[in-house]
């Protein structure tokens, strides 16, 4: 092996740690890029919206694991009241109107009930809405559950 010159050793000492830090940052950013993107923040003029529905409901299917093997129970355990929620269509042959309930990190908490999913899709599919976690139930010896606060608006 060729002996390194002094200036080469200095450059190696300086840039080797920088390379490691760069590699770690690259790995972190790569993992973030693989997350499901959240819906873009939209500036809404609240003066031009009126509330047409305001209700609470629970998330169903919370005891199952997600397709990628992650535990919905572990995800729900880390949720907090007031956290924003995203609805995404996740149709299946058995439930063509299925709506998945996701947090801002793209992790699935469960689904809406079949009846509510069909109503939202068919009746309010294009209405702006606000969906947040109202509270987390269970814990300890009980399974965790998640209740949602849904506000559906209509443009005036």
């Amino acid at each position: 092996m060729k002996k390194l010159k002094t200036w080469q050793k200095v450059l190696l000492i300086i840039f080797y740690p920088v390379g490691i830090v760069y590699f770690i940052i690259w790995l972190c950013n790569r993992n973030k890029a693989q997350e499901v993107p959240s819906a873009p923040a939209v500036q809404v003029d609240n003066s031009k919206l009126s509330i047409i529905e305001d209700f609470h409901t629970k998330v169903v299917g919370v005891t199952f694991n997600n397709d990628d093997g992650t535990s919905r129970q572990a995800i729900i355990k880390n949720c907090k009241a007031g956290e924003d929620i995203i609805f995404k269509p996740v149709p299946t042959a058995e439930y063509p109107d299925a709506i998945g309930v996701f947090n801002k990190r793209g992790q699935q908490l469960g689904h809406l009930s079949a009846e509510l999913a069909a109503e939202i899709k068919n009746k309010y599919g294009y209405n702006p809405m606000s969906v947040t976690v109202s509270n987390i139930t269970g814990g300890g010896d009980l399974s965790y559950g998640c209740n949602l606060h849904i506000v559906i608006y209509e443009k005036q």
Side-chain angles (χ1 to χ4, degrees), residues 61-105:
V62 296
T63 57
F64 296 99
N65 286 336
N66 290 319
D67 292 339
D68 63 0
T70 55
S71 167
R72 291 179 182 172
Q73 288 291 292
I75 296 167
I76 292 170
K77 180 180 178 182
N78 293 318
C79 288
K80 305 284 185 250
E83 185 175 336
D84 289 330
I85 294 297
I86 300 168
F87 288 163
K88 294 181 185 175
V90 287
T92 64
E94 189 175 357
Y95 299 104
D97 293 329
I99 296 176
V101 176
F102 294 82
N103 63 17
K104 287 282 191 169
R105 294 173 298 284

Side-chain angles (χ1 to χ4, degrees), residues 20 33 51 82 84 106 112 134 138 150:
I20 291 173
I51 297 173
D84 289 330
L112 292 179
S134 60
I150 302 173

Side-chain angles (χ1 to χ4, degrees), residues 95-153:
Y95 299 104
D97 293 329
I99 296 176
V101 176
F102 294 82
N103 63 17
K104 287 282 191 169
R105 294 173 298 284
Q107 301 168 309
Q108 186 172 5
L109 310 178
H111 293 88
L112 292 179
S113 68
E115 297 81 18
L116 180 58
E119 180 181 357
I120 286 178
K121 182 178 177 186
N122 297 323
K123 191 173 179 182
Y124 303 115
Y126 295 102
N127 292 68
M129 62 180 68
S130 167
V131 185
T132 56
V133 173
S134 60
N135 66 326
I136 302 299
T137 60
D141 294 339
L142 303 172
S143 295
Y144 285 97
C146 181
N147 295 322
L148 303 177
H149 180 214
I150 302 173
V151 180
I152 302 174
Y153 299 95

